[in-house]
Amino acid sequence: MSIRLRRAIAGLAPLVGAAFSAATASAEVPSVATDIAPVHSLVARVMDGLGEPSLVVDPGASPHGYSMRPSEARALSEADAVFWIGSELEPWLEDAIANLAPDAVSVALLDAPTTTVLEFRTGATFAEHAHEEHEEEQDHEQGHDPHAWLDPENGKAWLEVIADEMGRLDPENAAAYAANAEAGHAEIEAVEAEIERLIAPARGMDFIVFHDAYHYFEARFGIQAAGAISLSDASDPSPARVEAVRETVTELGVTCVFSEPQYNQALVRTVTEGTRARSAVIDPLGVGLESGPDFYPQLLRSVAEEMVGCAE
């Protein structure tokens, strides 16, 4: 071997060693799967600089009923930990975790002791003048409303839950997870204060949502929907429910009826036709927002902005 070749190999050795060390460090970080984009963002915030979680529900699809693609099922099967909302939102995912990731740590965030949970609202309309709800719809909506990520206080609480669990799985990086969670906590507090100022024009506005996904956001920021076209699980509403919502739009002179990108827009046209109600798109899952650590605060801000934009 020539002297020049030996020197070239010697020069490459530190680079190869550094690459190997980086790969080893990365391999030591647990593999994490998440269900929906808001949870993915919170986990990504905690893991920032250490690793990146995978997402098993496409942001453009409803999480209430979903068929995973092969790549998503593979990511779930390779997970050391799974952070998800819980079976109230995704009943199908409980079996998928049991079958594909039986050895993974499964954390249903809705079940965390620090989570603020609200009960389902029943009936098509939520005010005192509400039309009498149908028995099948009332029975269908018993239990906890799973859309808890739209309360920023839950987002802050979940950062701590995620950091604690990641610290147990990966003790060497526990301090980094905790520091990331603390930084994320401050970011959510900042956007929460911003929304408190931003949402003022929407307070007192009568509005209808497509499906009852915003109870947590409403309760936190002092606003209230007059009703929802669909049930909280976004299943198809009965004709009687649609008619009840339409009557409410007319009786209250509802300002806005919000649709969602994942669902049937024709139903919104049905309840607004012939009225003065405006329609706008609002999305509890943040379709179109860039995924990652910054997604969650941006999602909360976008919900407020859409509400205020329609109110004005």
Side-chain angles (χ1 to χ4, degrees):
M1 183 183 296
S2 69
I3 294 175
R4 181 177 296 177
L5 181 57
R6 284 199 299 270
R7 286 176 177 171
I9 293 172
L12 287 173
L15 298 176
V16 173
F20 179 79
S21 298
T24 302
S26 176
E28 292 171 353
V29 173
S31 176
V32 179
T34 62
D35 55 349
I36 57 175
V39 174
H40 176 272
S41 177
L42 293 169
V43 176
R45 188 69 190 88
V46 171
M47 297 182 70
D48 194 26
L50 298 165
E52 186 174 343
S54 59
L55 182 64
V56 300
V57 178
D58 188 287
S62 168
H64 296 288
Y66 185 70
S67 296
M68 288 185 293
R69 294 174 292 194
S71 60
E72 295 161 343
R74 184 168 59 252
L76 182 60
S77 70
E78 294 172 352
D80 299 305
V82 182
F83 294 96
W84 59 306
I85 295 296
S87 58
E88 291 88 344
L89 182 72
E90 304 130 330
W92 57 272
L93 188 51
E94 187 170 20
D95 287 342
I97 293 171
N99 292 328
L100 296 175
D103 298 325
V105 173
S106 175
V107 181
L109 295 169
L110 200 66
D111 296 335
T114 52
T115 301
T116 296
V117 292
L118 299 175
E119 299 299 313
F120 279 119
R121 295 185 283 199
T122 57
T125 54
F126 309 138
E128 291 180 2
H129 64 276
H131 298 268
E132 191 169 329
E133 57 255 15
H134 291 269
E135 186 176 342
E136 70 272 14
E137 293 182 348
Q138 190 173 13
D139 290 344
H140 192 67
E141 293 192 309
Q142 293 174 346
H144 292 145
D145 184 337
H147 303 88
W149 66 89
L150 288 178
D151 182 346
E153 293 300 313
N154 282 335
K156 290 187 285 189
W158 292 349
L159 284 171
E160 187 172 340
V161 171
I162 295 162
D164 287 348
E165 195 58 57
M166 292 302 299
R168 280 190 286 270
L169 288 169
D170 182 15
E172 289 185 11
N173 289 312
Y177 295 130
N180 283 343
E182 186 175 350
H185 190 283
E187 292 163 2
I188 295 173
E189 282 202 332
V191 79
E192 190 173 3
E194 181 184 349
I195 291 171
E196 285 286 359
R197 296 188 298 270
L198 180 66
I199 204 73
R203 290 196 172 105
M205 173 180 71
D206 285 314
F207 64 96
I208 298 289
V209 294
F210 184 84
H211 88 293
D212 191 16
Y214 305 92
H215 193 184
Y216 289 89
F217 190 90
E218 296 167 39
R220 181 58 56 192
F221 294 109
I223 56 177
Q224 183 178 346
I229 296 172
S230 180
L231 298 166
S232 186
D233 67 356
S235 57
D236 291 338
S238 66
R241 184 184 181 99
V242 174
E243 182 58 29
V245 172
R246 179 171 169 76
E247 288 178 12
T248 298
V249 170
T250 302
E251 290 171 7
L252 295 182
V254 162
T255 303
C256 291
V257 177
F258 291 103
S259 62
E260 295 178 25
Q262 297 91 349
Y263 303 113
N264 184 358
Q265 310 299 308
L267 288 172
V268 173
R269 293 191 292 272
T270 298
V271 301
T272 59
E273 187 177 4
T275 74
R276 296 183 178 181
R278 297 189 292 271
S279 64
V281 177
I282 196 169
D283 183 17
L285 293 172
V287 173
L289 297 177
E290 185 176 354
S291 63
D294 297 330
F295 172 96
Y296 183 76
Q298 290 175 1
L299 169 65
L300 296 174
R301 186 184 297 107
S302 71
V303 171
E305 288 173 344
E306 289 295 341
M307 286 187 174
V308 171
C310 197
E312 294 176 338

